[in-house]
């Protein structure tokens, strides 16, 4: 066989490859050239019959051709595969241009303030009128701000009560926490502003707890008052006024019951009167726990660099979802976070009429 045979094989293979429209046709070309009964394979087999001198020359030419054909075949495979992918992408293409459902005409759907935001606005309005300012702190707290500085030592059982979400330890080896209450902002406030202090702290809080009345993320509002001559009388007057304004019941019964928090001394749970059977607030002879409070513990003051002989004050904290549910007669906490438009429309507040004390919040 002569060199022209090889040139013919090269040209014919190139033409066949170009004509192969899909991978199946391509494979037939490949087998026809390189397969066991393929044309190139036959030429290689025939080498053995040649005298040694001719065999060397012919063998070298055949090997060059083989490499060339292999490369051409492989290149065509890549081409056909890319084309197949393109075709598939085109066939499976998703039309995302479907027009949206018609939106109600502008103005018909003004939107509403979420009940949690609304309650926080109401608290800001009520306490704002008493001279409080709003303070804030981070959701991710140091162990010291959330527990240590609040007189909750390392192995105190209150740490377990809080079902804390811990984060991986920082450079100091301590694990940061998702704050379990808004009380760490008491610490941050006392450390950054000189007394007298009068702040409320609306914010998110976190505990690993989930059922009809508990959510792993919920909201609290904290209060802190620090001054030179603050007594339990101030605490009681402030909270009674607040509760009557918030629930809109001028003679709402309020009860202070001895309790325990590590960061207040004495500590008090605050209850309001209601009817357990009907859920009606203000009368009925039963008591319902609403918030925790107390006189700021001298050790907490000292942890923040305040001399307890000169400064004293009170603090309180309450769950925003809880007081919202009570005020509006809601039985379940979960809809607060489900974004069900019907629920939001029903319980949401008018954005054009923010809470004001003049109208009753
Ligand atoms: N931090 C307390 C809690 O989450 C509430 C509280 C705040 C009690 C301030 C007393 C004073 O239960």
């Amino acid at each position: 066989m002569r060199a022209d045979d090889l040139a013919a094989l090269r040209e014919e293979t190139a033409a066949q490859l170009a004509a192969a429209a899909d991978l199946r046709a391509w494979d037939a070309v490949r087998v026809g050239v390189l397969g066991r009964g393929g044309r190139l394979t036959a030429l290689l087999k025939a080498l053995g019959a040649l005298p040694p001198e001719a065999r060397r020359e012919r063998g070298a030419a055949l090997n060059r051709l083989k490499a060339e054909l292999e490369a051409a075949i492989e290149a065509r495979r890549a081409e056909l595969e890319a084309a197949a992918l393109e075709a598939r992408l085109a066939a499976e293409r998703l039309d995302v241009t479907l027009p949206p459902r018609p939106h109600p005409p502008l103005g018909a759907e003004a939107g509403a303030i979420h009940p949690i935001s609304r309650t926080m606005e109401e608290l800001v309005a009520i306490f704002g009128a008493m001279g409080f300012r709003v303070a804030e702190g981070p959701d991710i707290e140091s162990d010291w701000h959330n527990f240590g500085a609040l007189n909750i030592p390392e192995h105190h059982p209150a740490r377990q009560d809080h079902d804390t979400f811990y984060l991986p330890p920082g450079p100091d080896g301590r694990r940061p926490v998702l704050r379990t209450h808004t009380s760490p902002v008491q610490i941050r406030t006392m450390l950054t502003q000189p007394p007298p202090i009068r702040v409320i702290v609306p914010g998110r809080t976190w505990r690993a707890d989930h059922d009809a009345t508990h959510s792993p993320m919920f909201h609290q509002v904290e209060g802190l008052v620090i001054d030179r001559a603050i007594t339990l009388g101030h605490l009681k007057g402030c909270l009674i006024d607040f509760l009557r304004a918030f629930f809109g019941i001028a003679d709402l019964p309020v009860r202070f019951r001895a309790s325990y928090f590590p960061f207040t001394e004495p500590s008090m749970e605050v209850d309001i009167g209601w009817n357990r059977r009907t859920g009606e607030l203000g009368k009925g002879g039963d008591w319902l726990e609403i918030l925790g409070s107390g006189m700021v513990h001298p050790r907490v003051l000292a942890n923040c660099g305040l001399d307890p002989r000169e400064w004293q004050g009170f603090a309180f904290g309450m769950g925003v979802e809880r007081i919202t549910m009570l005020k509006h007669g809601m039985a379940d906490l979960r809809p607060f976070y489900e974004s069900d438009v019907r629920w939001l429309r029903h319980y949401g507040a008018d954005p054009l009429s923010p809470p004001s004390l003049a109208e009753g919040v």
Side-chain angles (χ1 to χ4, degrees):
M1 290 199 214
R2 277 155 302 281
D4 333 357
D5 301 338
L6 304 196
L9 178 55
R10 178 188 292 118
E11 269 158 40
E12 282 164 30
T13 304
Q16 282 171 5
L17 281 175
D22 56 24
L23 285 166
R24 183 189 289 244
W26 165 86
D27 199 49
V29 177
R30 184 184 65 83
V31 172
V33 177
L34 299 174
R36 270 208 288 154
R39 290 172 68 189
L40 185 73
T41 315
L43 294 178
L44 285 164
K45 276 186 194 152
L47 272 180
L50 295 180
E53 191 54 28
R55 190 194 306 164
R56 195 171 309 122
E57 205 177 302
R58 175 81 173 159
L62 279 176
N63 276 331
R64 274 198 303 279
L65 179 62
K66 184 176 180 202
E68 213 178 292
L69 292 179
E70 278 173 350
I73 287 169
E74 181 55 29
R76 183 61 178 152
R77 186 185 62 83
E79 242 172 67
L80 287 170
E81 269 178 4
L85 181 61
E86 279 305 317
R88 203 173 137 202
L89 286 175
E92 294 177 7
R93 185 197 197 93
L94 259 188
D95 181 3
V96 293
T97 62
L98 191 68
R101 265 170 254 141
H103 193 273
L106 213 58
E109 197 69 67
I113 303 295
H114 192 284
I116 291 180
S117 304
R118 174 67 186 198
T119 296
M120 285 178 163
E121 287 175 351
E122 290 176 0
L123 266 59
V124 169
I126 296 169
F127 284 106
M130 296 187 205
F132 286 71
R133 291 164 171 273
V134 171
E136 287 179 312
D139 282 24
I140 299 176
E141 265 299 3
S142 73
D143 190 275
W144 186 77
H145 286 94
N146 195 82
F147 293 122
L150 287 162
N151 196 34
I152 311 177
E154 209 60 47
H155 298 292
H156 195 282
R159 292 204 180 208
Q160 268 99 64
D161 294 347
H162 279 209
D163 297 312
T164 313
F165 287 111
Y166 286 96
L167 280 77
D172 61 353
R174 317 262 339 178
R175 291 182 299 173
V177 300
L178 291 182
R179 64 178 179 192
T180 58
H181 49 177
T182 40
S183 302
V185 187
Q186 289 188 33
I187 304 301
R188 292 183 175 276
T189 305
M190 287 188 272
L191 286 173
T192 53
Q193 68 187 64
I197 291 170
R198 231 185 268 186
V199 293
I200 58 166
V201 184
R204 265 186 302 272
T205 46
W206 311 80
R207 293 183 198 178
D209 204 352
H210 204 188
D211 61 33
T213 54
H214 295 87
S215 150
M217 187 280 304
F218 59 107
H219 299 79
Q220 287 191 338
V221 170
E222 189 87 7
L224 176 69
V225 172
I226 304 287
D227 209 329
R228 285 206 160 81
I230 296 293
T231 70
L232 202 62
H234 294 107
L235 179 160
K236 293 178 73 173
C238 174
L239 290 178
I240 292 171
D241 277 1
F242 156 67
L243 290 167
R244 291 183 171 165
F246 177 74
F247 288 108
I249 302 172
D251 58 354
L252 180 71
V254 178
R255 178 174 81 167
F256 292 81
R257 182 166 42 83
S259 182
Y260 173 76
F261 298 102
F263 35 93
T264 47
E265 182 60 34
S267 303
M268 280 164 304
E269 221 86 56
V270 185
D271 304 335
I272 59 171
W274 78 321
N275 183 326
R276 189 190 307 277
R277 208 170 36 77
T278 62
E280 195 189 349
L281 301 178
K283 43 177 152 304
D286 300 316
W287 292 103
L288 182 64
E289 182 185 315
I290 289 285
L291 55 86
S293 68
M295 302 303 290
V296 178
H297 197 293
R299 221 174 280 152
V300 174
L301 294 169
N303 287 341
C304 299
L306 297 179
D307 181 350
R309 285 163 305 184
E310 186 180 359
W311 302 104
Q312 56 217 273
F314 64 87
F316 55 89
M318 68 193 100
V320 176
E321 284 81 347
R322 180 169 164 77
I323 62 172
T324 306
M325 287 167 74
L326 289 170
K327 181 167 176 170
H328 300 290
M330 304 166 171
D332 194 331
L333 172 88
R334 287 166 289 204
F336 277 109
Y337 317 111
E338 283 171 354
S339 301
D340 181 334
V341 165
R342 294 160 303 174
W343 187 88
L344 290 169
R345 217 171 266 153
H346 181 77
Y347 286 110
D350 181 353
L352 298 179
S353 138
S356 88
L357 290 186
E359 293 173 24
V361 290

